[in-house]
């Protein structure tokens, strides 16, 4: 539920950024309040993944201007791990495989890093096991996945579910899902969407990046933004997503171009 | 590669100090006279002098090998000092008589030798430059019938065993560096486990090079009689000099019927600085002979130091049903070069071998696995399984795999698997995005990568090895 008085979780002002000397973000503006679900849509190459990685602090991207505040603090001056521990979570478009590191160990170390950072109790292997069993239900994942190496040999859908499992454990204040729906069949999509809905509450916020409206039937956004060429060119409600589905992106791009001209 | 990856792999070497001690050092250079001098200083039986001279004469006719994937300036063998020993000539009756400076040196290296402080279940032979300075727990081992002493002592006290086994696995003319070693070796360890005895404690030799001009040529011989077993570990460090020191060792293992030898190495010689100046040339020949039926020899190595490493611990599986194993982690960073692997030579029936090799390359280093699996015509039912995995940290390091397979028996089964993985910016970012620091991320990925090898090390050393790798890599990823 959204209310005017909800605290602001993320506020992005005129953010510009480069990768390898090329400007990719050309003035992003976005405000997300607690309890809200936002969707960013837009054609391939418009800078959506870049934006999500910059929020998470990927070192390959260079912020050249603008501000990002997260829960009132300057997000841009935090190391990636501190952003994560403070509650920024990014579900990757292409989750990596990490051979040799068990999923369970990975989850426990991640969980305990956050606990420690927030001055909360770290869990031993035994207590953690109990916790993780409950979280498995969120994404209907089999416990056998815990004992395999992180994402190694997982199918596309299993990797995405594993991302949501990590999110369920880390309970972020801002969950950013980069194309979490892509490559999923309808059953997997429903499971992932159901997981996201379970995790959403009045104290946190979700930013979904997708270029299909399909996911938005299951996770209903409060706001939809269209991104093109490094900035948000239009914002609306979920009806905008339906309109995009029907008419494609060109008309928005044309209108934006006309508006700028 | 960004600064963070680099800074994570680069930690100062903490064993780089030099001990100031008066030593008995002969002038640099090699000749028959020098060999006679070494032999005389060591008070050896005559057959040893003959052994050395025979090796030297063969060495003179040999060429330095050039096939390995390593490059270095030509070594001037006349500039090397072949004998350097801390001055302390008289025979010691107890460890309390060892020069306190030496005891202190080993303590600083984490190898306490004195009665009160020594490791509880590990007997240590401590070798400083050319000679053994102390061997702990000798009496206790002797009660079990186990001989553990320096090879110099063994030549004087057990000449028959030495005459029978020395050079029996690695002949004097085996290769250029082995021949050089046979001519000039100054010390090393000798282990003899009698029939039916399971050695009651871990045995270990700790090698320390101190003199900047001396080479270290040690020779280790382990003989396990019928039905006996032993686990042996060697460790090594050296001070930091901006010149290179040559370390050309030979290790020979002999396992008779049903005997079991486990030989572990944690090699941390000085690797040179970040620009490749200084460091040890580690040119080593290690070979085990599974002479008896059902015998087993297992090599485990964790190679982290040296400017250049050239070594192939091997097993010759002669006895029927004998087993050879090779578990290796080789880590190179900065300008280090490693060309290492194993040879498994199957001669007897139903012989089995396992090779697990993990190469980790960071910085601008070069890391090659080179291995030979040879199945002889009589080795019916022989089996080999090899797995060679490479891990690249950053994107300026090199990794190669050279597996050679020769099969002369069609009942044999040989399997080879290989993989390459990478720790780069994206892998680290994934961990960091989940709140895990880059240091912890590297350590988790490296431990995971190495666990099949570390699990083979004796308990005390597995933890040590894990920590050593983490230290070596600190600063290398970004
Ligand atoms: N490392 C890089 N070097 C150069 N260009 C890049 C790099 N990464 C992304 N880009 C470019 O940035 C633009 C935005 O990419 P991305 O953020 O992945 O878009 P989206 O997620 O919206 O499809 C694309 O034109 C892409 O080619
Ligand atoms: Mg994308």
């Amino acid at each position: 539920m959204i209310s005017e008085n909800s605290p602001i979780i993320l506020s992005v002002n005129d953010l510009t950024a480069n990768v390898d000397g090329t400007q990719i973000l050309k003035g992003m503006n976005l405000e997300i309040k607690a309890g809200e679900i936002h969707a960013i849509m837009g054609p391939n190459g418009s800078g959506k993944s870049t934006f999500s990685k910059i929020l998470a602090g990927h070192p390959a991207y260079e912020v050249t201007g603008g501000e990002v505040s997260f829960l009132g603090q300057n997000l841009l001056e935090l190391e990636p791990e501190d952003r994560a521990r403070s509650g920024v979570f990014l579900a990757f478009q292409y989750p990596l495989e990490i051979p040799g590191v068990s999923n369970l160990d990975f989850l426990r170390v991640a969980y305990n890093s956050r606990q420690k950072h927030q001055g909360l109790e770290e869990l031993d292997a035994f207590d953690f096991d109990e916790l993780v069993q409950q979280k498995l239900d969120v994404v209907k994942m089999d416990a056998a996945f815990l004992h395999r190496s992180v994402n190694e040999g997982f199918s596309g859908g299993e990797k995405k579910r594993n991302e949501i499992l990590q999110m369920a454990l880390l309970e972020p204040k801002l969950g950013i899902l980069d194309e979490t729906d892509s490559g999923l069949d309808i059953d997997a999509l429903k499971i992932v969407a159901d997981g996201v809905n379970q995790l959403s509450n009045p104290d946190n916020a979700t930013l979904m990046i997708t270029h299909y409206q399909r996911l938005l039937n299951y996770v209903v956004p409060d706001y939809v933004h269209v991104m093109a060429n490094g900035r948000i060119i239009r914002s609306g409600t979920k009806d905008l997503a339906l309109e995009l589905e029907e008419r494609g992106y060109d008309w928005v791009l044309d209108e934006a171009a006309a508006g700028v001209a | 590669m960004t600064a963070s990856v680099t800074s994570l792999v680069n930690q100062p070497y903490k064993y780089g100090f030099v001990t100031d001690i008066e030593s008995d050092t002969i002038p640099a250079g090699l000749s028959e006279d020098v060999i006679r001098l070494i032999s005389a200083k060591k008070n050896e039986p005559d057959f040893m002098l003959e052994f050395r001279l025979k090796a030297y004469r063969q060495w003179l006719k040999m060429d330095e090998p050039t096939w390995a994937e390593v490059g270095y300036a030509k070594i001037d063998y006349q500039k090397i000092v072949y004998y350097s020993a801390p001055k302390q000539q008289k025979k010691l009756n107890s460890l309390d008589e060892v020069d306190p400076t030496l005891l202190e040196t080993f303590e600083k290296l984490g190898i306490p030798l004195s009665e009160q402080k020594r490791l509880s279940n590990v007997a240590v032979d401590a070798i400083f430059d050319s000679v053994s300075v102390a061997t702990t727990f000798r009496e206790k081992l002797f009660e079990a019938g186990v001989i553990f002493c320096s090879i110099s002592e063994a030549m004087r006290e057990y000449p028959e065993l030495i005459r029978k086994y020395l050079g029996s696995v690695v002949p004097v003319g085996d290769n250029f560096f082995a021949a050089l070693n046979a001519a000039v070796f100054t010390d090393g360890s000798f282990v003899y486990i009698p029939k039916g005895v399971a050695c009651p404690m871990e045995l270990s030799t700790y090698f320390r090079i101190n003199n900047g001009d001396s080479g270290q040529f040690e020779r280790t011989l382990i003989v396990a009689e019928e039905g006996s077993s032993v686990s042996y570990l060697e460790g090594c460090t050296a001070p930091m000099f901006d010149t290179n020191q040559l370390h050309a060792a030979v290790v020979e293992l002999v396992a008779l019927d049903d005997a079991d030898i486990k030989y572990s190495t944690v090699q941390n010689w000085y690797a040179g600085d970040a620009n490749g100046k200084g460091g040890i040339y580690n040119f080593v020949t290690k070979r085990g002979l599974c002479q008896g039926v059902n015998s087993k020899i297992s090599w485990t190595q964790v190679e982290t130091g040296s400017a250049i490493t050239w070594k192939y611990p091997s097993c010759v599986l002669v006895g029927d049903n004998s087993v050879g194993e090779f578990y290796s982690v080789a880590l190179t960073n900065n300008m280090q070069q490693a060309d290492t692997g194993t040879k498994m030579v199957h001669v007897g029936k139903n012989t089995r071998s396992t090779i697990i090799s993990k190469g980790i390359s960071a910085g601008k280093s070069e890391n090659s696995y080179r291995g030979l699996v040879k199945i002889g015509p009589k080795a019916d039912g022989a089996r080999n399984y090899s797995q060679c995995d490479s891990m690249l940290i950053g994107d300026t390091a090199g990794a190669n795999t050279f597996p050679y397979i020769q099969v002369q028996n069609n009942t044999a089964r040989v399997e080879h698997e290989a993989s390459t993985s990478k720790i780069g910016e994206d892998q680290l970012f994934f961990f960091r995005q989940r709140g895990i620091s880059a240091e912890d991320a590297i350590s988790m990925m490296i431990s995971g990568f190495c666990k099949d090898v570390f699990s083979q090390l004796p308990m005390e050393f597995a933890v040590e090895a894990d920590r050593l790798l983490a230290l070596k890599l600190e600063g290398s990823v970004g």
Side-chain angles (χ1 to χ4, degrees), chain B residues 28-162:
Chain B
L30 185 55
S31 64
E32 292 209 0
D33 286 345
V34 167
I35 290 167
R36 285 176 208 281
L37 182 62
I38 292 172
S39 188
K41 277 189 180 293
K42 306 201 75 66
N43 222 346
E44 297 171 343
D46 289 344
F47 76 86
M48 277 311 306
L49 179 60
E50 280 155 35
F51 178 95
R52 291 175 183 283
L53 291 173
K54 185 172 154 203
Y56 177 65
R57 287 167 195 151
Q58 294 202 34
W59 179 75
L60 285 175
K61 292 185 227 144
M62 299 170 91
D63 291 320
E64 205 167 316
T66 53
W67 42 263
E69 283 283 306
V70 297
Y72 54 93
K74 206 163 167 47
I75 299 171
D76 184 346
Y77 291 92
Q78 296 305 336
K79 286 219 171 109
I80 294 174
V81 170
Y82 290 88
Y83 185 87
S84 172
K87 252 189 191 146
Q88 181 190 54
Q89 295 296 32
K90 69 178 166 58
K91 191 161 171 14
L92 302 174
N93 293 315
S94 91
L95 276 169
D96 301 337
E97 293 174 27
V98 174
D99 185 331
T101 322
L102 286 175
L103 293 180
E104 231 170 76
T105 299
F106 281 97
E107 194 150 316
K108 237 164 126 180
L109 297 170
I111 318 288
L113 300 171
S114 65
E115 294 284 348
Q116 306 85 0
K117 293 186 186 161
R118 58 177 61 158
L119 301 167
S120 58
N121 201 35
V122 183
V124 178
D125 185 17
I127 298 191
F128 190 88
D129 281 343
S130 299
V131 297
S132 168
V133 293
T135 310
T136 63
F137 288 113
R138 294 182 52 164
E139 300 78 17
K140 186 169 172 199
L141 288 166
F142 201 77
E143 280 165 29
V146 172
I147 301 172
F148 179 39
C149 63
S150 73
I151 203 151
S152 311
E153 255 179 291
M155 290 187 290
R156 294 188 296 262
E157 302 192 7
Y158 311 100
E160 288 320 306
L161 286 173
I162 297 294

Side-chain angles (χ1 to χ4, degrees), chain A residues 58 79 81 90 163 166, chain B residues 426 432-435 451:
Chain A
H58 195 295
E79 290 294 323
E81 51 271 43
L90 170 59
E163 295 287 287
Q166 290 159 42
Chain B
D426 285 331
R432 298 175 80 190
Q433 209 308 299
R434 298 301 183 251
K451 70 180 169 226

